[in-house]
Amino acid sequence: MGQEKIIVSTQPLQWKCVESRTDSKRLYYGRFLLAPLMSGQANTIGIAMRRALLGEIEGTCITRAKSDKILHEYSTIKGIQESVHEILMNLKEIVLRSNLYGIRDASICVKGPGSVTAHDIILPASVEIVDKTQHIATLTEPITLFIELQIEINRGYRIKTTKNFQKESYPIDAVFMPVRNANYSIHSYVNQNEKQEILFLEIWTNGSLTPKEALNEASRNLIDLFIPFLHAEEENSYLENNEPKINLPLFNFHGRLAKPRKTKKEIALKLIFIDQSELPPRVYNCLKKANIRTLLDLLTNSQEDLLKIKDFRIEDIKPIVDILKIEKLFT
């Protein structure tokens, strides 16, 4: 393998996509570089980015299947070539793309004989299938296969356990990670007697998003994790005044959310993130997508503003008000 010629600008830190390809509907590949970096920085960024790519990006999976014809997971159904276990494994391989929140229902209803593929899944409007040719089952007789499915968005992976089993309903091992693999490598060079580095990132995805989209989302999620540390100096200066750590004002809620004044109390509100509150996952995700991350962000939006957020519903106002009452922001 020949040596790769690399031309690096002496300009400030910048990134570039050096290779991008689609190997199949369910396998995308991208290679990126970041340079110039000082000695040691490439390893710092590479470790963090790899972990964020593999663990901090949400994906959509089928997590449960239900049918009254299934006696147990390892049974067979007359007129179907595959066993129930094989059907569940095939459902596990279905790759979905969505912007849904919470758990949604889907189903399969096919009359044989014939092949059942991902194309036969009846999905909610917010979900789409990456590869509709994915095989599920083969019906060898004129029977009807009806399976109810459960779809949800999450991160990481979930292994089914015995406590997850319900009557005629079976959990499916869920691999929510849209990034199938991520590697990084470091190229060192000398520039004007100073050792510098180039960071290369390789990303493989399952087709539900591109490597570039994965890199963007992992970066944003990684930044979110470090945001609390950005306010460390403000918090320390606030606590040095011997005032209560958080003395939140009372606000009235009459159709609109009140805006706090720019005082030290506002600093306190900036230090309380919505992920610290027990908001329903769907509501939390809606707020996060709208870049509402702290109680201060929340209080500067009116009820009308919140209802303009995509997928936000009028009934979602109640859990927000309940949380703010707990925080003693409303009378």
Side-chain angles (χ1 to χ4, degrees):
M1 186 174 180
Q3 185 175 3
E4 185 176 4
K5 185 177 180 181
I6 303 168
I7 301 175
V8 180
S9 171
T10 57
Q11 298 299 316
L13 196 63
Q14 52 190 307
W15 75 279
K16 180 182 179 182
C17 177
V18 294
E19 185 179 355
S20 179
R21 68 173 186 261
T22 301
D23 294 331
S24 69
K25 289 183 179 180
R26 287 179 279 163
L27 185 59
Y28 288 13
Y29 171 79
R31 187 167 182 248
F32 309 87
L33 70 78
L34 181 68
L37 295 164
M38 292 189 294
S39 179
Q41 288 183 334
N43 196 48
T44 300
I45 298 172
I47 292 173
M49 282 304 304
R50 185 176 186 274
R51 294 183 68 90
L53 284 163
L54 294 173
E56 296 299 326
I57 302 179
E58 293 181 332
T60 307
C61 286
I62 297 172
T63 57
R64 185 172 291 275
K66 181 179 180 181
S67 175
D68 55 8
K69 291 186 177 182
I70 300 178
L71 298 177
H72 56 81
E73 183 182 0
Y74 299 99
S75 63
T76 58
I77 301 175
K78 185 179 179 182
I80 301 180
Q81 182 175 304
E82 292 82 2
S83 68
V84 172
H85 178 72
E86 289 173 321
I87 294 174
L88 294 177
M89 290 302 98
N90 290 337
L91 289 172
K92 175 183 174 181
E93 296 300 319
I94 303 291
V95 179
L96 302 172
R97 178 169 44 230
S98 77
N99 58 357
L100 65 82
Y101 302 98
I103 298 174
R104 297 290 177 87
D105 295 324
S107 63
I108 298 173
C109 186
V110 179
K111 186 174 182 179
S115 178
V116 182
T117 66
H119 178 75
D120 298 305
I121 301 177
I122 303 170
L123 294 166
S126 57
V127 184
E128 61 179 291
I129 298 170
V130 170
D131 183 3
K132 295 185 178 181
T133 65
Q134 285 181 261
H135 181 72
I136 297 175
T138 303
L139 305 184
T140 57
E141 297 182 12
I143 65 170
T144 298
L145 175 65
F146 178 71
I147 303 177
E148 296 177 68
L149 303 173
Q150 177 179 288
I151 296 174
E152 61 181 290
I153 188 170
N154 213 317
R155 63 183 63 183
Y157 59 89
R158 181 191 304 157
I159 304 299
K160 63 184 178 183
T161 61
T162 53
K163 67 179 182 180
N164 295 134
F165 285 83
Q166 302 172 6
K167 185 179 180 182
E168 300 174 351
S169 177
Y170 300 88
I172 298 173
D173 291 336
V175 182
F176 295 103
M177 301 180 293
V179 175
R180 290 299 184 229
N181 195 12
N183 290 328
Y184 75 93
S185 58
I186 301 169
H187 174 81
S188 301
Y189 64 99
V190 177
N191 181 24
Q192 297 179 353
N193 297 323
E194 182 181 358
K195 184 178 180 182
Q196 294 186 329
E197 297 175 338
I198 304 172
L199 172 66
F200 287 95
L201 278 168
E202 291 184 288
I203 304 171
W204 291 262
T205 69
N206 65 0
S208 62
L209 76 175
T210 66
K212 184 178 178 181
E213 290 170 336
L215 184 63
N216 182 273
E217 185 158 345
S219 300
R220 285 190 285 108
N221 291 341
L222 197 57
I223 290 171
D224 288 345
L225 293 175
F226 285 98
I227 282 178
F229 297 109
L230 297 177
H231 304 294
E233 186 176 345
E234 292 178 346
E235 183 180 18
N236 289 336
S237 62
Y238 179 54
L239 295 177
E240 286 171 359
N241 295 326
N242 296 322
E243 295 184 13
K245 183 176 181 180
I246 296 180
N247 184 20
L248 298 176
L250 298 176
F251 295 91
N252 293 319
F253 184 79
H254 295 295
R256 297 183 64 86
L257 295 174
K259 295 184 178 180
R261 291 176 299 172
K262 292 185 177 180
T263 63
K264 291 180 180 179
K265 293 178 181 179
E266 181 177 338
I267 296 177
L269 293 174
K270 288 172 64 176
L271 300 176
I272 305 177
F273 291 80
I274 61 172
D275 56 4
Q276 297 172 270
S277 305
E278 295 182 0
L279 287 169
R282 200 188 67 78
V283 177
Y284 167 75
N285 285 322
C286 282
L287 296 176
K288 184 178 177 182
K289 294 286 185 181
N291 206 31
I292 297 175
R293 304 184 184 281
T294 67
L295 287 187
L296 181 62
D297 295 336
L298 187 58
L299 289 168
T300 53
N301 283 271
S302 68
Q303 178 176 328
E304 289 78 7
D305 293 333
L306 295 178
L307 291 174
K308 292 178 183 177
I309 298 174
K310 185 178 180 181
D311 298 320
F312 194 91
R313 304 173 304 191
I314 184 66
E315 54 265 35
D316 296 331
I317 296 292
K318 185 179 184 303
I320 290 178
V321 174
D322 291 341
I323 290 297
L324 295 177
K325 284 181 179 178
I326 293 174
E327 300 288 352
K328 298 181 180 179
L329 294 178
F330 294 107
T331 53

